[in-house]
Amino acid sequence: MPESMRPDALLEVRNLCKYFPVFGGILRRKVAEVKAVDDVSFFVREGETLGLVGESGCGKTTVGRTILRLIEPTSGQALFRSSILADKSKGEETTVVDLLTLDKERLKRIRREVQMIFQDPNSSLNPRMTVRDILAEPFEIHGIGSKSEIDDRIAELLKNVGLRPEYRSRYPHQFSGGQRQRIGIARALALRPKLIIADEPVSALDVSIQGQVLNLLADLQEQFGLTYVFVAHNLSVVEHISDRVAVMYLGKVVELASAEDLYRNPKHPYTEALLSAVPVADPDVRRERIILQGNVPSPLNPPSGCRFHTRCPYANQGNRMAKCSTEVPELRNVGNDQWVACHFAEELKLQGVEVPEKTA
Ligand code: SF4
């Protein structure tokens, strides 16, 4: 029975959970669970970019890897509108499948439509393979094209990512970090996917190179109609590329809104703190950085109530703490499709930043 999903969505994640067991004692029995991703839901429209942002350990990378089944989920759904798996004999153009329950054979086929760009190009490219072999691999795995057709596609892919086709016989170590990430992008693009999950694709690069790679990703999105889930650890990285942004804290989405609303008018104190670290281009504008107290608590033993209450600068004001420390705030729509998990979202006056233009 095909699943149903939002008609405008390419990907719809519902109630995704990933709990890692912790074993202890002489018998190595399961003694606890790390709730790395706890009931996360969001959707991505075709052709848009959803930024998924939060500090290290918030679960954002686990979300991306679980959708791709590089990590097996604990529960939930990741519905995807697939063309490859549609039954063309029944006149279907697309069909909705749950990526989290696909068998091995269908999972392999759907890799043509869903790809990943990894954070560290140094470890994601095999140092013993030439660029030609790295880029030929996806075609060979899926049995696509003759040798000369693959070579033509590789030359085209290298041009698409701003590298010279003559570089195909070189090895990864002969390239700079930025060039290696371009090779990683070319590999993700090889099979013309619809959806790319980019896991912190610029965070291992020099700041001077980050902008170039972000611009390349934006250009490729326009050229090929790609849809991105863009994972990042701060809001300044995704500001020019995202249509909507989901902010995660300790395994949960705490705010999800259009980039414009989230940057200009944040409703969650954690989003405000992340925004205060976004550099402002105007030298006349002075913003005070909000330094959150303490470290991110362990997901092994998350705080009760609102998970952010141990660090929230607003929880201690008035008599809020009683509710903040005991009641779990639901992610709710506070208007204009801005979803916030804070009991006091309507009464807090939080500071945003001027909205950046999306790079096109
Ligand atoms: Fe802060 Fe309380 Fe809102 Fe959580 S519910 S973000 S602790 S004010």
Side-chain angles (χ1 to χ4, degrees):
M1 197 47 193
E3 302 275 359
S4 65
M5 66 190 284
R6 284 180 62 107
D8 58 342
L10 178 66
L11 173 73
E12 186 174 348
V13 173
R14 292 183 187 162
N15 311 109
L16 180 64
C17 295
K18 177 61 195 176
Y19 303 161
F20 292 99
V22 177
F23 298 98
I26 299 170
L27 298 175
R28 308 299 298 161
R29 288 216 173 102
K30 185 173 130 185
V31 290
E33 279 178 331
V34 174
K35 296 188 173 180
V37 176
D38 196 8
D39 199 15
V40 164
S41 299
F42 60 82
F43 66 89
V44 196
R45 294 188 184 94
E46 191 145 11
E48 81 169 358
T49 299
L50 178 83
L52 196 56
V53 180
E55 290 163 289
S56 296
C58 73
K60 57 193 188 299
T61 292
T62 307
V63 169
R65 288 176 181 240
T66 308
I67 292 169
L68 273 165
R69 299 273 297 279
L70 302 177
I71 299 173
E72 286 300 323
T74 301
S75 60
Q77 288 184 304
L79 303 178
F80 178 74
R81 200 176 302 284
S82 168
S83 305
I84 296 265
L85 297 181
D87 190 343
K88 302 280 170 6
S89 68
K90 290 186 186 156
E92 283 181 355
E93 285 292 314
T94 60
T95 187
V96 176
V97 295
D98 182 359
L99 297 174
L100 306 189
T101 57
L102 288 180
D103 57 38
K104 244 181 159 180
E105 188 266 325
R106 296 202 306 160
L107 195 57
K108 181 183 166 191
R109 286 171 63 201
I110 215 153
R111 289 262 188 269
R112 289 177 63 174
E113 295 186 301
V114 188
Q115 282 286 323
M116 188 154 193
I117 299 170
F118 293 92
Q119 177 180 357
D120 184 0
N122 295 331
S123 56
S124 64
L125 302 178
N126 187 334
R128 292 194 194 86
M129 289 168 81
T130 62
V131 170
R132 194 253 165 220
D133 292 342
I134 289 169
L135 297 182
E137 201 172 43
F139 298 102
E140 288 161 3
I141 288 172
H142 291 271
I144 299 169
S146 64
K147 187 176 172 302
S148 70
E149 284 166 347
I150 293 173
D151 282 332
D152 289 347
R153 275 290 288 139
I154 288 171
E156 196 186 321
L157 280 167
L158 288 170
K159 278 194 216 150
N160 290 150
V161 298
L163 293 174
R164 290 160 57 174
E166 305 89 89
Y167 290 172
R168 71 181 82 189
S169 51
R170 295 189 183 177
Y171 289 87
H173 73 269
Q174 295 174 288
F175 294 90
S176 67
Q179 287 174 322
R180 277 197 288 268
Q181 192 54 296
R182 285 171 190 265
I183 297 165
I185 293 169
R187 183 178 56 185
L189 271 184
L191 300 174
R192 299 238 169 93
K194 290 180 172 183
L195 173 69
I196 292 185
I197 296 177
D199 181 16
E200 303 216 37
V202 297
S203 62
L205 305 177
D206 288 349
V207 176
S208 58
I209 307 293
Q210 288 185 358
Q212 294 172 18
V213 174
L214 287 171
N215 286 337
L216 170 67
L217 288 168
D219 290 345
L220 293 171
Q221 180 171 44
E222 186 156 286
Q223 195 177 346
F224 298 110
L226 297 167
T227 303
Y228 292 140
V229 174
F230 197 105
V231 177
H233 63 266
N234 66 48
L235 282 166
S236 53
V237 171
V238 295
E239 66 177 332
H240 297 291
I241 199 166
S242 299
D243 297 283
R244 290 185 306 126
V245 176
V247 175
M248 285 187 70
Y249 184 78
L250 261 188
K252 285 191 173 286
V253 172
V254 295
E255 183 160 7
L256 198 169
S258 71
E260 185 169 341
D261 287 334
L262 189 125
Y263 281 80
R264 186 175 283 165
N265 191 18
K267 297 281 186 193
H268 195 284
Y270 181 57
T271 311
E272 184 191 44
L274 290 182
L275 281 173
S276 76
V278 172
V280 183
D282 185 346
D284 295 330
V285 176
R286 288 179 66 104
R287 300 193 71 242
E288 206 166 305
R289 177 124 186 225
I290 300 169
I291 309 289
L292 294 175
Q293 300 302 312
N295 295 320
V296 183
S298 165
L300 192 56
N301 188 18
S304 58
C306 173
R307 292 186 176 189
F308 189 53
H309 84 260
T310 53
R311 302 173 79 202
C312 178
Y314 299 95
N316 278 316
Q317 295 175 1
N319 54 3
R320 291 192 185 117
M321 188 53 100
K323 190 166 185 178
C324 294
S325 61
T326 53
E327 291 180 33
V328 177
E330 291 299 316
L331 189 68
R332 60 199 169 86
N333 188 351
V334 294
N336 206 21
D337 236 358
Q338 186 160 8
W339 295 76
V340 187
C342 170
H343 297 305
F344 301 100
E346 286 84 352
E347 67 185 65
L348 296 177
K349 298 275 173 284
L350 307 183
Q351 199 187 354
V353 295
E354 254 331 290
V355 193
E357 291 266 310
K358 191 189 171 198
T359 303

